[in-house]
Amino acid sequence: MTNLALEIDEFLNEVILRSENQHEILIGSCTSQAPLTNTQEHILMLLSGEALTNTDLAKRLNVSQAAVTKAIKSLLNKDMLESFKDEKDGRVSFYRLTELGKPVAQEHQHHHRHTLEAYKRLVDTYTPREQDLIAHFLKDLIKEIGA
């Protein structure tokens, strides 16, 4: 096995360790003193843009509806979310942020921007040709992992 293959293996193992029980990997940490899971914070961020249903959230997060339901129940209990019925179909419930949830959602969104900026700074240290090669490798790696 080449050194690069070992480095890829080490990288992927580190990603798995850092992302265990999280929906995403962010650089740094959130500073709001709210004891929330990463999924809960991400739900708040998604709801900062629009009211969504449990199904909408599960699709956007690519997690089960059961996981979203659990996270939403906790956020409702913490008074960070409120639910309301669809005016056209009373069987459908939507969720939106409360005033308590808005600052946590904004912080999580800021954290996302910070992470993307860090990735951009790193990528910008490579030539356009190297960036293309890295992008090509990552796409192929995703295909291989998914095979």
Side-chain angles (χ1 to χ4, degrees):
M1 199 178 287
T2 67
N3 278 345
L4 184 55
L6 290 172
E7 288 180 41
I8 292 166
D9 185 57
E10 185 178 315
F11 165 77
L12 291 174
N13 287 323
E14 185 67 23
V15 168
I16 290 167
L17 286 173
R18 290 184 186 268
S19 66
E20 196 170 12
N21 298 320
Q22 294 185 21
H23 170 70
E24 61 196 336
I25 296 175
L26 296 175
I27 294 175
S29 60
C30 289
T31 57
S32 74
Q33 299 304 309
L36 301 176
T37 66
N38 199 284
T39 298
Q40 290 168 331
E41 289 180 359
H42 204 80
I43 286 171
L44 292 175
M45 185 185 79
L46 289 173
L47 291 171
S48 68
E50 61 185 315
L52 299 166
T53 66
N54 184 303
T55 302
D56 295 332
L57 289 164
K59 286 179 184 173
R60 291 195 188 181
L61 292 168
N62 198 27
V63 298
S64 70
Q65 286 192 346
V68 170
T69 298
K70 181 180 176 185
I72 285 174
K73 282 182 182 180
S74 177
L75 292 167
L76 288 166
N77 289 336
K78 295 176 190 296
D79 295 323
M80 293 187 171
L81 289 185
E82 60 186 11
S83 66
F84 63 98
K85 298 288 183 187
D86 185 344
E87 292 177 9
K88 297 176 186 169
D89 184 350
R91 298 171 295 169
V92 177
S93 292
F94 283 88
Y95 299 95
R96 63 180 161 220
L97 296 176
T98 63
E99 289 303 314
L100 194 58
K102 288 178 183 177
V104 179
Q106 288 173 339
E107 181 193 3
H108 192 77
Q109 197 160 20
H110 170 77
H111 204 172
H112 262 270
R113 281 192 305 274
H114 171 74
T115 298
L116 291 175
E117 288 166 1
Y119 294 160
K120 184 176 179 346
R121 279 193 309 275
L122 181 61
V123 167
D124 285 348
T125 65
Y126 296 92
T127 67
R129 186 169 183 274
E130 290 170 328
Q131 291 176 27
D132 288 343
L133 188 61
I134 292 166
H136 182 77
F137 170 78
L138 291 174
K139 286 176 188 169
D140 286 349
L141 181 60
I142 289 169
K143 285 179 195 173
E144 188 68 30
I145 289 171

